[in-house]
């Protein structure tokens, strides 16, 4: 189990390391635009992603005929999230932001004043209670677009996200989503309590 997890992380890091040096060049911008264009499409209908994805996946992670593996799905969605976050950005990514333990903590940045928090909480809860992986993917991409547009310095741990999305498809869905929820709500509560203690 640990070996598989490391491999998913490593594949995502390797792909990001390939894109980062060229992302502000024409070829890099075209590559990221192509990944963004794949949003809403099944992998079978996204040939612009195939060279990047399939060249970096170990053979045992590749599907057979029309069957898409959990590994392919996890990296594909994580790549889309990465491409969305890079739109209009020249900030260098290390592939892994140590400050965020999972996507729940990344999305916590959207919890601001009371009116915003309520709306974001509703969106987050809709995402984590989605009935299928496809539905969750749709809501996650929507949340990322909001994060990109509204957070001052948003950060996402892409290898960890890919890992979570993989295990979510392997029977660990409830565990992963509970971890996301804990990070989304708990971190916010802690920072609020700390601020109140500082003000006393």
């Amino acid at each position: 189990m640990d070996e598989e997890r490391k491999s998913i992380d490593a594949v995502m890091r390797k792909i990001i390391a390939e894109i980062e040096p060229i992302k502000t060049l024409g070829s890099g911008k075209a590559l990221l635009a192509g990944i963004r264009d794949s949003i809403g499409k099944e992998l079978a209908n996204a040939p612009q992603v195939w060279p990047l994805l399939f060249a970096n996946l170990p053979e045992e992670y590749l599907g057979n005929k029309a069957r898409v593996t959990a590994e392919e799905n996890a990296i594909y969605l994580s790549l889309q999230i990465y491409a969305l976050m890079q739109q209009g950005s020249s900030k260098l990514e290390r592939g892994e932001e140590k400050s965020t333990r999972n996507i729940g903590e990344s999305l916590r940045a959207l919890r601001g004043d009371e009116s915003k928090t309520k709306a974001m909480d509703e969106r987050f809860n809709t995402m984590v209670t989605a009935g299928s992986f496809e539905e969750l993917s749709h809501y996650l991409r929507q949340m990322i677009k909001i994060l990109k547009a509204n957070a001052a310095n948003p950060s996402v741990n892409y290898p960890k996200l890919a890992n979570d999305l993989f295990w979510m498809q392997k029977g660990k869905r409830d565990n992963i989503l509970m971890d996301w929820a804990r990070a989304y709500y708990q971190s916010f509560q802690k920072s609020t309590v700390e601020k109140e203690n500082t003000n006393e």
Side-chain angles (χ1 to χ4, degrees):
M1 185 167 160
D2 284 344
E3 284 307 306
E4 284 185 271
R5 180 161 59 243
K6 280 177 200 162
S7 298
I8 294 285
D9 292 359
V11 169
M12 196 64 204
R13 280 193 203 95
K14 186 180 173 203
I15 293 174
I16 290 173
E18 266 184 40
I19 301 172
E20 279 299 307
I22 62 164
K23 75 177 183 184
T24 57
L25 306 176
S27 57
K29 286 178 180 177
L31 179 62
L32 289 166
I35 298 169
R36 285 191 292 272
D37 286 343
S38 75
I39 289 171
K41 295 176 184 171
E42 290 184 10
L43 185 54
N45 300 317
Q48 67 272 42
V49 180
W50 297 346
L52 184 67
L53 181 63
F54 297 149
N56 284 294
L57 278 176
E59 193 174 341
E60 64 270 24
Y61 287 3
L62 296 172
N64 184 11
K65 298 181 181 172
R67 184 183 71 86
V68 177
T69 64
E71 292 88 350
E72 288 172 329
N73 264 334
I75 301 283
Y76 180 43
L77 178 54
S78 299
L79 268 177
Q80 291 175 338
I81 299 302
Y82 169 74
L84 284 171
M85 289 293 285
Q86 301 315 304
Q87 196 162 17
S89 170
S90 57
K91 174 190 158 196
L92 287 176
E93 299 279 359
R94 294 191 307 276
E96 179 171 12
E97 293 291 343
K98 288 183 180 162
S99 60
T100 58
R101 73 181 200 237
N102 61 36
I103 198 68
E105 189 168 331
S106 300
L107 294 172
R108 177 184 64 80
L110 292 170
R111 303 185 91 216
D113 59 62
E114 203 172 318
S115 60
K116 275 187 186 170
T117 298
K118 188 170 187 285
M120 287 305 111
D121 288 357
E122 283 172 6
R123 282 179 177 272
F124 180 83
N125 294 341
T126 299
M127 178 183 77
V128 295
T129 56
S132 67
F133 184 79
E134 291 70 27
E135 200 181 335
L136 179 134
S137 301
H138 168 76
Y139 289 123
L140 176 58
R141 287 189 295 258
Q142 294 303 314
M143 291 288 283
I144 288 296
K145 285 179 186 173
I146 298 168
L147 179 69
K148 168 77 176 160
N150 294 284
N153 290 298
S155 64
V156 174
N157 185 332
Y158 303 104
K160 172 63 173 151
L161 176 61
N163 180 55
D164 282 353
L165 293 170
F166 168 72
W167 288 112
M168 202 177 282
Q169 298 169 84
K170 291 289 189 179
K172 305 284 184 189
R173 184 176 182 276
D174 291 347
N175 295 359
I176 303 283
L177 294 177
M178 282 298 288
D179 281 347
W180 288 9
R182 287 183 184 106
Y184 178 78
Y185 288 106
Q186 183 187 20
S187 299
F188 180 78
Q189 222 169 10
K190 270 187 188 169
S191 61
T192 307
V193 169
E194 279 162 14
K195 275 181 200 163
E196 283 170 0
N197 290 342
T198 310
N199 294 335
E200 280 175 7

